[in-house]
């Protein structure tokens, strides 16, 4: 399996060669040169496999440069009872992402039982183990530099903590994350994790990361890497739970399902799109946005208009607050018949902050083929949906999953099970839960007093040179 760039000007690469990098050298995103097709016989054989065994079957289709026994061991270490709270608490280890039934044909799929209570753990934990394996094999090391406003940074740190040949330098905006989020990150004492609180906003932290990434000499000398959501390994890891959700919601492989996906950077739903292209019987992929509705606008109108950061609002489902969707280029590549010249033309506009309009093209006319529909959810929708789910179904949803359920209910098909992907636990968003229900979400016991743990963080001005010096002394 070789990987090609959506912009068509990069040499095809093997999986391990794209694992540690981000963008392709031509500025595009990597995708497999074709999607493996899963036959009905294979689907029949996969039904009933444990999560780890299913992950091995699926990932083997995409990874052919790691020996099977090694890949199997990496996956077994990743999708295991130790990592997933619900399994530690007596859940079935074969079901890493179980369904919760809301009513007939309506489910949530639990993706947030990992260390940081958000679905990003599902892929990031695999990334941590793959990084360690490949770096060891090559005798290399890497220094991961990132900026976070919450979920991504903690998922990356919990995935990379204690890993050999990996150090993480994570910038966060000082005083702008919740006490719980700060405690999650800053209480890590692993020697390879460096938390840097920048006296500024998230954008200041992000700008520093970009400035360092643009300094090719520094980047090469200190082996700077990233683990952002465009990383192909993160997307491929997410394909697995669509298959497991399908098997759990159906009795036989001639049935169809629909998934509703709370979306920001289009990473999660991109994995659903690929699962569908592989032949998984998905009738519909329901994309849900919050007030930052750049993707909903596209799927309703054919116009993709990236927003300025001044137009992006801070919402009560903050992990979906995006101005443009970094993985969206992968879907557009498929939509335009994998014509890299078209993608280059469209992203020449996007990269200048301009919109593109596909509404008058044959590609837009062919959109129904991809099964994606969309909708948006506002703060009041979110509050109402959290109340509805609690009152009618007896479950407490986090704010992002509530956005997913709100839009899912607008797009149900008769006789087709609807699976809403649960992307975080309510304990991460106490304030909004209190507003909706008047009660506090219950925290997992092991995190009950995490705010009381000693914290390790350095505070720095948003100064690129100072951050570079800090890294250079420790890398
Ligand atoms: C990251 C995140 C999302 C958005 O996922 P994308 O892959 O960026 O579309 C939704 N919900 C939560 C809780 C997240 O952390």
């Amino acid at each position: 399996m070789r990987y090609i760039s959506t912009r068509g000007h990069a040499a095809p690469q093997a999986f391990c060669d794209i694992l540690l990098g981000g963008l392709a050298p031509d500025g595009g995103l990597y995708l497999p040169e074709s999607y493996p097709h899963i036959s009905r016989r294979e689907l029949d054989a996969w039904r009933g496999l444990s999560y780890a065994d299913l992950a091995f079957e699926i990932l083997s289709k995409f990874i052919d440069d790691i020996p099977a026994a090694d890949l199997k061991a990496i996956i077994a270490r990743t999708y295991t009872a130790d990592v997933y709270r619900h399994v530690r608490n007596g859940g079935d280890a074969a079901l890493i992402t179980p369904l919760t039934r809301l009513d007939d044909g309506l489910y949530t799929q639990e993706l947030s039982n990992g260390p940081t209570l958000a679905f990003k753990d599902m892929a990031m934990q695999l990334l941590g183990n793959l990084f360690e394996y490949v770096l060891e094999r090559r005798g290399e090391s890497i220094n991961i530099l990132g900026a976070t406003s919450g979920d991504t940074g903690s998922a990356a740190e919990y995935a990379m903590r204690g890993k050999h040949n990996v150090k993480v330098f994570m910038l966060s905006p000082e005083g702008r994350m919740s006490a719980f989020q700060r405690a999650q990150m800053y209480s890590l004492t692993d020697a390879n994790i460096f938390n840097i609180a920048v006296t500024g906003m998230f954008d200041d932290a992000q700008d520093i990361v970009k400035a360092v990434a643009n300094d090719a000499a520094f980047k090469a000398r200190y082996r700077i890497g990233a683990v952002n959501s465009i990383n192909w390994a993160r997307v491929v890891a997410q394909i697995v739970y669509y298959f497991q959700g399908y098997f759990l919601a159906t009795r036989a492989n001639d049935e169809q399902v629909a998934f509703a996906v709370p979306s920001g950077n289009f990473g999660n739903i991109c994995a659903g799109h690929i699962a569908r292209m592989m032949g998984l019987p998905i009738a519909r992929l329901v994309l849900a946005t919050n007030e930052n509705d750049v993707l909903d606008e596209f799927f309703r109108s054919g116009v993709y208009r990236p927003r300025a950061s001044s137009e992006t609002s801070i919402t009560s489902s903050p992990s979906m607050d995006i101005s443009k969707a970094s993985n969206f280029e992968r879907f557009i590549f498929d939509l335009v018949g994998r014509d890299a010249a078209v993608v280059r033309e469209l992203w020449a506009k996007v990269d200048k902050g301009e919109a593109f309009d596909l509404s008058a093209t044959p590609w837009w006319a062919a959109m129904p083929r991809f099964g994606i529909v969309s909708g948006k959810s506002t703060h009041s929708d979110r509050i109402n949906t959290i109340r509805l789910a609690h009152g009618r179904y007896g479950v407490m949803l986090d704010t992002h999953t509530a956005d997913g359920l709100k839009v899912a209910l607008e797009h149900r098909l008769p006789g087709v099970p609807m699976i809403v992907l649960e992307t975080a636990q309510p304990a991460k968003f106490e304030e909004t839960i209190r507003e909706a229900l008047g009660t506090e979400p219950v925290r997992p016991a092991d995190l009950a007093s995490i705010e009381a743990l000693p914290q390790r963080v350095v505070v720095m001005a948003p100064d690129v040179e100072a951050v570079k010096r800090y890294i250079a002394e420790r890398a």
Side-chain angles (χ1 to χ4, degrees):
M1 172 72 71
R2 310 271 280 171
Y3 290 88
I4 56 173
S5 165
T6 50
R7 305 217 185 157
H9 285 163
Q13 302 276 335
F15 178 83
C16 290
D17 294 324
I18 65 166
L19 174 67
L20 302 171
L23 291 174
D26 62 358
L29 276 62
Y30 284 111
L31 272 178
E33 58 192 351
S34 65
Y35 296 124
H37 189 262
I38 307 308
S39 68
R40 179 65 194 272
R41 263 200 26 233
E42 275 173 306
L43 265 192
D44 290 343
W46 291 0
R47 182 174 278 276
L49 289 184
S50 70
Y51 193 92
D53 289 344
L54 182 60
F56 175 71
E57 295 296 333
I58 293 171
L59 294 175
S60 299
K61 302 265 177 196
F62 293 95
I63 304 173
D64 55 11
D65 53 348
I66 295 178
D70 292 356
L71 184 61
K72 202 158 202 157
I74 290 168
I75 290 170
R77 278 207 297 285
T78 305
Y79 299 112
T80 172
D82 307 344
V83 178
Y84 291 91
R85 255 182 209 86
H86 66 302
V87 184
R88 288 206 301 268
N89 296 335
D92 185 346
L95 301 185
I96 294 294
T97 57
L99 300 186
T100 301
R101 182 183 173 280
L102 303 187
D103 74 12
D104 273 350
L106 183 64
Y107 305 90
T108 57
Q109 187 173 6
E110 295 179 28
L111 305 183
S112 58
N113 290 307
T116 72
L117 308 184
F119 90 100
K120 290 188 175 65
D121 290 328
M122 292 300 306
M124 207 70 94
Q125 288 288 321
L126 180 70
L127 207 62
N129 289 325
L130 284 170
F131 268 42
E132 186 173 57
Y133 172 85
V134 170
L135 289 167
E136 172 74 45
R137 195 168 74 174
R138 296 182 168 188
E140 291 175 8
S141 65
I142 195 170
N143 295 293
I144 294 167
L145 174 63
T148 186
S149 52
D151 285 350
T152 309
S154 55
E157 291 188 351
Y158 280 79
M160 301 295 168
R161 63 188 296 200
K163 295 278 181 277
H164 298 299
N165 304 317
V166 181
K167 287 181 180 147
V168 178
F169 296 87
M170 191 59 66
L171 310 186
S172 50
E174 194 203 13
R176 307 231 166 232
M177 297 191 301
S178 71
F180 178 77
Q181 285 176 317
R182 284 200 302 272
Q184 263 192 316
M185 288 178 54
Y186 303 164
S187 68
L188 287 179
T189 53
D190 306 80
N192 69 330
I193 303 292
F194 300 92
N195 283 304
I196 305 171
V198 174
T199 53
M201 308 284 283
F202 169 70
D203 285 339
D204 298 313
Q206 184 72 34
D207 286 345
I208 295 173
V209 172
K210 284 185 191 152
V212 174
N214 285 334
D215 180 343
F218 185 88
K219 212 179 143 189
R221 171 150 186 218
Y222 295 105
R223 305 169 312 282
I224 302 295
V227 291
N228 43 27
S229 79
I230 52 140
N231 185 294
W232 165 252
R234 284 183 60 183
V235 176
V236 78
Q238 293 169 172
I239 294 172
V240 178
Y241 51 72
Y242 284 88
F243 279 81
Q244 196 186 39
Y246 172 78
F247 290 132
L248 294 176
T250 56
R251 281 171 308 266
N253 296 326
D254 53 3
E255 294 174 41
Q256 293 206 309
V257 297
F259 286 95
V261 190
S263 292
N265 274 317
F266 205 82
N268 198 355
I269 198 165
C270 187
H273 157 69
I274 294 169
R276 193 171 178 278
M277 300 292 277
M278 291 166 71
L280 189 67
I282 298 176
R284 246 179 204 180
L285 288 165
V286 180
L287 180 146
T289 71
N290 64 17
E291 291 88 335
N292 297 297
D293 60 352
V294 46
L295 288 170
D296 178 42
E297 183 177 279
F298 173 79
F299 284 100
R300 282 184 298 103
S301 69
V303 177
Y304 182 64
R305 187 177 67 82
R307 313 293 200 248
S309 34
S310 58
E311 273 182 280
T312 308
S313 34
I314 297 172
T315 73
S316 45
S317 47
S319 301
M320 292 154 63
D321 292 346
I322 51 116
S323 51
K324 53 179 176 234
S326 50
N327 271 292
F328 188 52
E329 185 172 337
R330 288 194 160 107
F331 174 72
I332 293 294
F333 183 63
D334 286 342
L335 179 69
V336 302
R338 299 200 139 207
D339 186 337
V342 174
V343 173
R344 284 200 299 277
E345 212 177 285
L346 298 176
W347 256 264
K349 292 187 181 167
V350 172
D351 290 340
K352 281 188 285 184
E354 291 169 15
F356 63 73
D357 179 357
L358 300 184
S359 63
T361 65
W363 305 307
W364 182 249
M367 254 302 285
R369 222 158 34 91
F370 292 91
I372 302 182
V373 294
S374 74
K376 75 184 260 191
S377 168
T378 63
H379 183 74
S380 63
D381 294 326
R382 202 167 295 134
I383 296 290
N384 289 336
T385 308
I386 291 171
R387 287 186 185 142
L388 171 116
H390 196 251
R392 187 183 297 172
Y393 308 129
V395 296
M396 198 184 277
L397 296 185
D398 97 285
T399 54
H400 307 76
T401 311
D403 290 335
L405 177 60
K406 188 265 177 184
V407 179
L409 293 174
E410 297 164 352
H411 289 287
R412 288 185 77 180
L413 293 167
V416 177
M418 171 68 78
I419 302 169
V420 180
L421 297 186
E422 176 232 61
T423 55
Q425 297 214 1
K428 279 196 114 161
F429 304 96
E430 288 170 350
E431 209 178 301
T432 312
I433 301 300
R434 208 180 306 124
E435 180 185 340
L437 303 176
T439 53
E440 296 280 327
V442 179
R443 272 200 204 170
D446 59 310
L447 300 175
S449 48
I450 189 169
E451 286 97 335
L453 295 175
Q455 298 191 358
R456 213 171 121 250
V457 57
V458 298
V459 179
M460 293 178 78
D463 170 351
V464 177
E465 291 312 314
V467 171
K468 280 186 183 166
R469 264 197 313 278
Y470 182 87
I471 295 171
E473 284 161 10
R474 289 162 185 84

